[in-house]
Amino acid sequence: MNDHASDGSDAPAPPWWIGWLAVTTVAALPVVEAARIVVQRSHVVLDGDQALLELGVRRAAQVDQLVGPYSRVGIHQPGPVVFYLLAPFVRILEPNGPGLYLGAIVISGAALIATVAFLWRHLGPGAALWAATAIDLYCLCLRVGTLREPWNPYLVATPMVLFVVVWAAGITGSSGAGLWAVVIGSYEVQTHIATAGLVVTMSVILAVWMAVRACCGPHVRHAWRHGWGPARITGTAALVLIWLAPVVELWRDQPNNLKLMWDFFTTSHSTPTFGQALKVAANALTVMPFGYHDYVLTLSRTNTELGIGASLMVVGLVAAVGLGLRCRQPLSLALAASAVLGVVLGVISLWRTPGPVFLYFAVWLAYV
């Protein structure tokens, strides 16, 4: 994929410092919040899901955590990668410190900073600044409290932004980005299985598309044979490490978590109506621009707000497709496709949810 977008004009490229301004703009909020947590070092008493999460983190610090966060339906999420990511921060601020909160803001912030840095690298500083502006609005609507909350439904919200951007780069020709999209998607699925419908479908589309390109394009075949650079090497290593613990758990526990998940999802359960699923999805899809409140089970959006939200999404989709075609920038078209997939697969996933469906299942849909 080209490092910089081309619109066929001779306009000068934005100065290099624009890229650093973009990264700094996005980094400011998580860095300030992380610094505040470290300086205050408040004594924290955890309960509920957060307490269970910290227990898992402490087991991960002993390299003895093989399953993901506990689910309300009696199973665990598919993998423990989030525990291992949070473990260093809990150790830094123990005992009884806000290490989980520090880890949460670092994960959330790192995903958004990586998104802007990635776009800077591939599309130039101008695109990075546009992305930084959108991401700052996203954070404002999602709320800082959500970004620092150590709860797995919230810990997948900002990495989903990174996932779709890297996925779009993989679709448009970057094999290294495609591999890292699967790595980031693995984190998403392991942390909260509500993302599995979208992540798995998009990963299959990516794999099929890249296989077709590898078979049909001689230049692509040459790149695959001789292009094992740092992105592919580190991505392969990360993918193996992420799924190592669940594979070990298959042999250690009887019955193992995969068997329990299979039994649960192949058993008949009551599911919400399509209308209920659509309403929850609409609430999540309109986090931008109408905001979000931590821990709410639903939001009371008015019909006017829902209409405005839908109109903004349509306008954004048309603009992304139009600019992508005019500027001959396939990444914009791929991002538009990821948004459509998010809406369709998000609603379907919520519709097939066992039991009642709540808003926190769908906060990750705010990326659209």
Side-chain angles (χ1 to χ4, degrees):
M1 187 173 64
N2 293 333
D3 286 352
H4 300 285
S6 172
D7 59 2
S9 70
D10 296 325
W16 62 269
W17 57 266
I18 293 293
W20 284 110
L21 175 63
V23 172
T24 302
T25 299
V26 171
L29 186 149
V31 168
V32 169
E33 184 62 23
R36 186 189 68 80
I37 292 172
V38 172
V39 170
Q40 289 184 349
R41 205 179 179 91
S42 304
H43 180 84
V44 173
V45 177
L46 299 170
D47 59 10
D49 289 344
Q50 285 79 1
L52 288 174
L53 196 65
E54 180 160 358
L55 288 174
V57 169
R58 293 186 180 278
R59 290 191 64 179
Q62 304 299 320
V63 196
D64 189 37
Q65 182 66 29
L66 301 181
V67 294
Y70 186 73
S71 170
R72 67 188 178 97
V73 298
I75 58 177
H76 289 268
Q77 306 298 333
V81 61
V82 69
F83 291 127
Y84 289 93
L85 293 177
L86 291 170
F89 304 100
V90 171
R91 292 296 296 269
I92 289 171
L93 297 182
E94 66 180 2
N96 300 325
L100 279 183
Y101 293 87
L102 176 61
I105 194 66
V106 169
I107 290 174
S108 297
L112 298 179
I113 293 168
T115 302
V116 173
F118 182 86
L119 290 172
W120 179 14
R121 167 67 179 83
H122 285 272
L123 297 180
L129 190 59
W130 275 106
T133 302
I135 283 173
D136 285 340
L137 290 172
Y138 172 81
C139 293
L140 179 66
C141 294
L142 199 59
R143 292 168 54 100
V144 178
T146 303
L147 297 178
R148 68 164 178 256
E149 190 62 46
W151 194 28
N152 57 305
Y154 292 167
L155 289 170
V156 296
T158 63
M160 185 61 76
V161 177
L162 177 60
F163 170 74
V164 297
V165 169
V166 179
W167 177 87
I171 283 288
T172 54
S174 175
S175 57
L179 183 56
W180 272 99
V182 178
V183 172
I184 300 162
S186 296
Y187 163 86
E188 293 286 280
V189 172
Q190 285 197 12
T191 303
H192 202 259
I193 201 170
T195 63
L198 178 68
V199 169
V200 172
T201 302
M202 291 179 69
S203 297
V204 170
I205 292 171
L206 176 63
V208 171
W209 180 248
M210 293 180 71
V212 170
R213 285 173 55 87
C215 292
C216 300
H219 297 294
V220 178
R221 286 199 299 269
H222 182 271
W224 269 102
R225 291 170 183 168
H226 304 285
W228 275 93
R232 286 206 216 158
I233 294 172
T234 56
T236 301
L239 191 61
V240 171
L241 286 174
I242 283 176
W243 288 105
L244 181 60
V247 170
V248 172
E249 196 268 341
L250 288 177
W251 305 102
R252 191 193 73 169
D253 296 340
Q254 294 298 330
N256 56 64
N257 191 50
L258 180 62
K259 176 66 165 56
L260 295 175
M261 292 175 61
W262 174 263
D263 290 343
F264 177 79
F265 286 109
T266 55
T267 303
S268 177
H269 299 280
S270 62
T271 57
T273 65
F274 182 78
Q276 291 170 331
L278 185 62
K279 180 179 179 181
V280 171
N283 284 337
L285 290 165
T286 51
V287 165
M288 287 185 68
F290 298 114
Y292 180 71
H293 301 287
D294 299 343
Y295 292 119
V296 295
L297 299 182
T298 187
L299 291 171
S300 299
R301 306 279 196 218
T302 65
N303 291 334
T304 300
E305 289 175 331
L306 294 176
I308 292 173
S311 299
L312 289 174
M313 282 187 285
V314 171
V315 169
L317 181 64
V318 171
V321 172
L323 289 171
L325 293 173
R326 183 174 67 85
C327 299
R328 298 190 297 278
Q329 180 45 262
L331 187 68
S332 180
L333 301 176
L335 286 171
S338 76
V340 174
L341 286 169
V343 174
V344 174
L345 296 174
V347 173
I348 293 174
S349 296
L350 293 170
W351 185 24
R352 307 316 303 164
T353 298
V357 59
F358 301 118
L359 180 58
Y360 66 84
F361 295 177
V363 172
W364 56 271
L365 268 177
Y367 87 85
V368 172

